[in-house]
Amino acid sequence: GRQMLRVGRICSRSSTRAVSSFLVGPRHLTGHESPHFLGSKCCWTNRTGAIGFLNTKLNIGSYGPCLSTLTETILVQAHDPSLLALEIENAIDQQRFDDAWRAYEKHIHMDGVPRKSVLSKLITGFAETCDAHWLNQSYNVVNHAFEEKSKLLEKEPLIFLSLALARSSLPNLSINVVRKLIKMEAYPPVAAWSAIIAHMCQTATGAFLAADMVMEIGYLFQNNRVDPRKKSNRPLLLMKPNSLTFNIILTASLLFGTTKKAEQLLELMPRIGLKPDVSSLIVMARIYEQNGHRDEIQKLRRHVNEACGLSESELRQFYDCLLSCHLKFGDLDSAVDMILDMLKKGKNTKRSLEAAKAVLEAVENNKIYLPYEKTKPVNSGSSNKSVCTDSQMLNYISFFKDKSFARLELDARELLKLLSGKLQEQVGLVKSEYGILYPTETMYAKLVKAFLEADKISALASFLVKASKEDSPVSVESSFVVQVINACISLGWLEQAHDLLDEMRFSGIRVGSTIYSSLLKAYCKEGHHEDDIAALLKDAQQAGIQLDPSCYEDLIQSRAHHNNTTGALNLFKELKSLNILKAGQNEFEMLVQGCNNNGAALTTKLVEEVRSGHPVNHAIHDWNNVIHFFCKKRLMHDAHKALGKMKALGHTPNAQTFHSLVTGYAAVGGKYVEVTDLWGEMKVLATSSSMNFDQELLDSLLYCFVRGGFFLRAMEVIEMMEKGKIFIDKYKYKSLWLKYHRTLYKGDVLVSAWFATTVWMDTTVWKPLVVLFAAMNTSDSSGYFPYYGVPVVFS
C-alpha cells in the first residue's frame, strides 16, 4: 500500500516534460531488459488497462535514480496507450521507421491493435518507402490486424499497399492484400485493381497470380449472380472486371507462356457478360495458336477482316498466328496459298504506289499545286507524357485525393502498351513495309523445311517458281530457288538439291552457273557420285552453262583420284578450249550480287532452322484438339478412349494433353481418383521420354489433390515443383484446405499438434508429419488417407 502511494506521489509530482522524455524508456534497456517488453518482470497489464505488480526484487544499485522515472513511464504508458499512438504517428512523419515499429510492437503488447487512423498511417508510411523490408512489415501489420480486428483496416490504405507491393515485385503479397479486401467486403474498384495486376504482370510469377485473381473475382459475377438492381450490390459491381483488365492479363499470359490459363479466362468472359473488343481479337488468335486450335482462328478470320480500327502490327500478328498454325498441322497447301496471296497483293500495291508517285512527280514538275488546307501540327501536350510520376504514385496523399482512381487506370493502359510492345517482338513469320505484309525469311525457311521433310520436291519447286515470279528478284542468283538449293547443298542434302535443279530445268527456269558449280564441287568432295557428276555436267552443257575454272580443277582432281586419267585429260582440254569471262564481266556480276546480299538471308535462315529445329509430329496437335473437345463437352469417357487410341498409334501425349484431361475430370464433379491415375502415367512418361511438366499442369494437379484429399500425391507434385523452382501459391492452397478439410478429425491429437506448428509450414516440417500419419494409418493406392487429412502444401 505504501509503495503504491509512493508511486502515485511520484507520478503526480512529475512534470509533463519528464513523462514525455521517458515514453520510449531508457535507451540502454533493450530486449528483455526493457520495462516495455511483454516479458518484463516489472508489471503486466490487461486489455482494460489495469495494472498488476509482480513480486519483483529490483536492484536499486543497478538502476539508481532511474527507478522512479522507470516506474512512472510504465504507469503512464499502461494507462494511456494514446501516447504510444502519438509516438507512432510522429515517427512515421519524421521517417523514423525503426522507432515507429518499436512503438507499434509496444502498443500491440499493451493495448492490441492501434486505432484506425494510426494503423492506416503506419501501413501507408511503410508502403511509401518501397523498401522490401518495410513493405513486408507493412504486410505483417495488415495480416495481424486482419486476424485480430479487421474492422480497423480501411480500404484505401490497403489498395495503396497492394499497389506498392506489386510495383516492388512482391506479387504474392500484393494479391493476398486484394484477397483480404474482398473477404472484408471492402471491394476495390476495377480501376484500382487493374493497375495492381498491370504491375504484377511485369514478371512471370506475377502474371500467373494475376490470372488467378481475375478468375477468382470473375467467379463472383458468373451467370448474373449479382443483381445490378440492388443498391447494396453497387460497390461489388464496381469491382467487376472490364475489357482493359482482360487485355492486360491475356497479353501477359501470352508473353510468359501460360496460355492454357489464358484460354480459361477467354471462356470466362461471356459468362460475366463481357464482349471482346477489337484488340482482344488479336490476343484471342494468339492464344488459340499457342494451344493449337486452328479452327478457332479460322472463325476469327472473318471478324478480323471486317473489323475497323486494326493497326498494321495487329494484322501482322494475326496472319503470323494463322501461318504458324498451318505449319503446326502440316497444312502446307494453305500456307503456300497465304504466302502467294501476300506476294500478289504486295506486288499490286507496289504498282499502285509507283503510279501515285509518278503523278505526284508530274504535278510537282509542272508546278501545279492541288488545293489543300494548311494545318498546324497538333500539340499533344500531356498525352505523350507519363500520366503519373513515381513520386505521385508513391505519395499516399495524392493517391487518396484521386477518388475515382483515374490515374491508376491511365497507368494500367500505359503498362498494357508496354506488354503489347514486347509481344509484338515475338512475331517472326510476317513483316510489313509501308503497310504491305510480306513473309519473312524465317517463314520461307520453315515452309521449305516442312516440304523437304515431307519429301514433296515437286510441290516445293512449284511454290518456289511462283514465289520468284511474284517477288521479281534483281538477279537469278538471288532468287528463292537458288537460295534453297544453296541451303540444301550446305546441309549436305545433295539429292534434294539435284532434284530441285531438275524441276527448275523442266519448268523452263534458267539457273546461273554458280549453283551448278556449287553442286558439282559438293559431289566431288564426297567422292562417290560419278554418275550424278556426269549427268549434271551434261545438263549444264545442254543449258549452255559455263562453269568457272575452280570447278574444273575440282572435277579434274576427282577424276584423277578415281584413276580416271582419260576423263581428267578430257576435262583439262575442255578447260583450255573454253572462253572464260573477262575480268570486267566478272566484276559486274559480283557487283550485282553484292547489291542483293540480303538474298542470302534465306539460305542462312534455312540452315539455322534445320540445324536447330526438331521434327514436328503434326498428328499430336490433331489428337490434342480431339481430346480437348471431349473434355470441354465433359465427355470424359470419350476423351479417355481418344487418349488410348492416340497412344496405340504411337503418339506420345504431352503436357497439353494431360492438362485438358485433368481440368476435364475436375469439372465433372471431382473425379480425383482418375486424376491420380493420370499422374501415374505422367511419371512413367517422364522417366521414359522428355515430357515437360509446366507450371499450369502441375498447378492443376496440385489443386485436384488438395481438393480431393490425396495428400501423398500432392506431396509428390510439390517436390517436383520445388525441384523445378516453380512458384506455389501457398495462400490459395491454404484457403482451399481450410475450406474443405478444416473440420475433419477435430478430436485427433496429432491434428492439434500440427496446428500448433503453424499453418502452411515448410517442407522440412510437414514431411515428418506425413510419415507419422502414414505410419499410423493405411492409405489406398491413390495416396488418400481415409482417417487423417494431412495437408502438405501450406506455408
Side-chain angles (χ1 to χ4, degrees), residues 537-587:
L537 278 173
K538 184 179 179 179
D539 294 338
Q541 291 172 356
Q542 291 177 353
I545 300 297
Q546 183 175 324
L547 303 176
D548 59 79
S550 62
C551 181
Y552 276 101
E553 292 175 1
D554 290 344
L555 287 171
I556 293 170
Q557 290 180 4
S558 176
R559 295 287 172 89
H561 181 72
H562 288 86
N563 298 323
N564 188 358
T565 309
T566 305
L569 185 60
N570 291 335
L571 285 173
F572 181 76
K573 290 179 180 179
E574 184 179 348
L575 175 61
K576 290 293 185 181
S577 63
L578 288 177
N579 184 19
I580 304 300
L581 289 174
K582 296 180 180 180
Q585 292 175 331
N586 286 331
E587 291 176 1

Side-chain angles (χ1 to χ4, degrees), residues 32 48 52 195 197 209 211 220 245 266 323 327 333 354-355 370 380 408 415 442 545 568 680 688 699 709 773 790:
H32 292 273
T48 61
I197 67 167
L209 288 171
L220 302 174
T245 307
L266 286 178
L323 281 172
L327 292 177
D333 294 335
E354 289 173 358
L370 298 175
S380 59
L408 292 185
L415 291 171
T442 304
I545 300 297
S688 60
D699 186 74
F773 276 88
V790 183

Side-chain angles (χ1 to χ4, degrees), residues 567-715:
L569 185 60
N570 291 335
L571 285 173
F572 181 76
K573 290 179 180 179
E574 184 179 348
L575 175 61
K576 290 293 185 181
S577 63
L578 288 177
N579 184 19
I580 304 300
L581 289 174
K582 296 180 180 180
Q585 292 175 331
N586 286 331
E587 291 176 1
F588 175 75
E589 193 173 89
M590 292 175 61
L591 179 62
V592 173
Q593 293 181 10
C595 294
N596 295 280
N597 282 334
N598 292 333
L602 176 58
T603 304
T604 306
K605 287 287 182 182
L606 181 55
V607 173
E608 291 176 357
E609 183 69 27
V610 172
R611 289 177 177 173
S612 62
H614 300 283
V616 180
N617 188 354
H618 305 296
I620 289 181
H621 300 291
D622 292 318
W623 281 108
N624 281 346
N625 272 338
V626 172
I627 292 172
H628 178 76
F629 173 79
F630 286 137
C631 293
K632 195 173 180 180
K633 299 296 182 181
R634 301 191 177 184
L635 303 172
M636 299 310 300
H637 180 68
D638 295 328
H640 192 73
K641 287 173 62 177
L643 177 65
K645 192 169 183 180
M646 176 184 181
K647 292 189 289 186
L649 292 174
H651 306 299
T652 304
N654 55 16
Q656 185 175 348
T657 314
F658 287 112
H659 185 272
S660 299
L661 291 166
V662 169
T663 52
Y665 277 125
V668 294
K671 292 189 175 182
Y672 303 118
V673 175
E674 287 80 355
V675 177
T676 60
D677 296 336
L678 289 175
W679 172 239
E681 293 183 28
M682 292 181 219
K683 290 189 291 184
V684 172
L685 284 175
T687 56
S688 60
S689 64
S690 58
M691 178 179 173
N692 294 323
F693 291 92
D694 56 23
Q695 184 176 12
E696 294 175 292
L697 176 59
L698 293 175
D699 186 74
S700 300
L701 285 167
L702 189 55
Y703 180 90
C704 290
F705 292 151
V706 176
R707 170 66 180 85
F710 298 90
F711 299 113
L712 282 182
R713 301 287 82 83
M715 186 173 71

Side-chain angles (χ1 to χ4, degrees), residues 365-488:
N365 291 334
N366 295 327
K367 297 183 179 180
I368 301 174
Y369 297 101
L370 298 175
Y372 69 98
E373 292 183 3
K374 190 173 182 180
T375 57
K376 296 181 180 180
V378 179
N379 186 11
S380 59
S382 61
S383 60
N384 292 332
K385 296 180 180 179
S386 178
V387 178
C388 301
T389 61
D390 290 345
S391 60
Q392 288 175 330
M393 287 297 297
L394 298 179
N395 187 353
Y396 180 71
I397 296 176
S398 61
F399 171 86
F400 185 76
K401 288 179 180 179
D402 187 13
K403 297 294 184 181
S404 62
F405 301 103
R407 290 180 178 177
L408 292 185
E409 185 176 357
L410 291 174
D411 190 29
R413 294 186 184 278
E414 292 297 323
L415 291 171
L416 175 59
K417 290 180 182 179
L418 292 176
L419 292 172
S420 300
K422 294 178 182 178
L423 194 61
Q424 289 177 14
E425 295 175 0
Q426 298 180 355
V427 178
L429 303 183
V430 181
K431 62 183 179 181
S432 61
E433 295 178 4
Y434 306 106
I436 306 172
L437 298 180
Y438 294 99
T440 62
E441 288 79 9
T442 304
M443 177 63 215
Y444 282 119
K446 288 181 178 292
L447 185 59
V448 170
K449 177 191 173 186
F451 271 118
L452 293 174
E453 288 179 349
D455 199 20
K456 296 182 178 180
I457 304 299
S458 299
L460 174 59
S462 176
F463 161 68
L464 292 174
V465 169
K466 293 177 182 178
S468 296
K469 290 179 179 179
E470 296 293 344
D471 197 54
S472 301
V474 177
S475 65
V476 178
E477 301 298 333
S478 63
S479 64
F480 293 133
V481 179
V482 174
Q483 293 180 63
V484 171
I485 295 175
N486 279 330
C488 292

Side-chain angles (χ1 to χ4, degrees), residues 337-356:
D337 292 340
M338 278 192 65
I339 291 176
L340 293 178
D341 186 58
M342 282 184 188
L343 293 175
K344 186 176 181 179
K345 289 180 179 179
K347 188 176 182 180
N348 295 334
T349 307
K350 276 185 177 180
R351 289 175 180 174
S352 301
L353 286 174
E354 289 173 358

Side-chain angles (χ1 to χ4, degrees), residues 54 67 144 153 174 241 307 409 487 493 507 536 546 560 589 638 641 688 701:
L54 301 179
L67 175 61
H144 181 265
L153 293 171
S174 179
E409 185 176 357
W493 297 349
S507 301
L536 192 58
Q546 183 175 324
E589 193 173 89
D638 295 328
K641 287 173 62 177
S688 60
L701 285 167

Side-chain angles (χ1 to χ4, degrees), residues 289-300:
E289 181 267 326
Q290 290 291 326
N291 294 339
H293 304 325
R294 185 172 56 155
D295 294 338
E296 299 295 335
I297 301 179
Q298 294 285 13
K299 293 177 184 177
L300 288 175

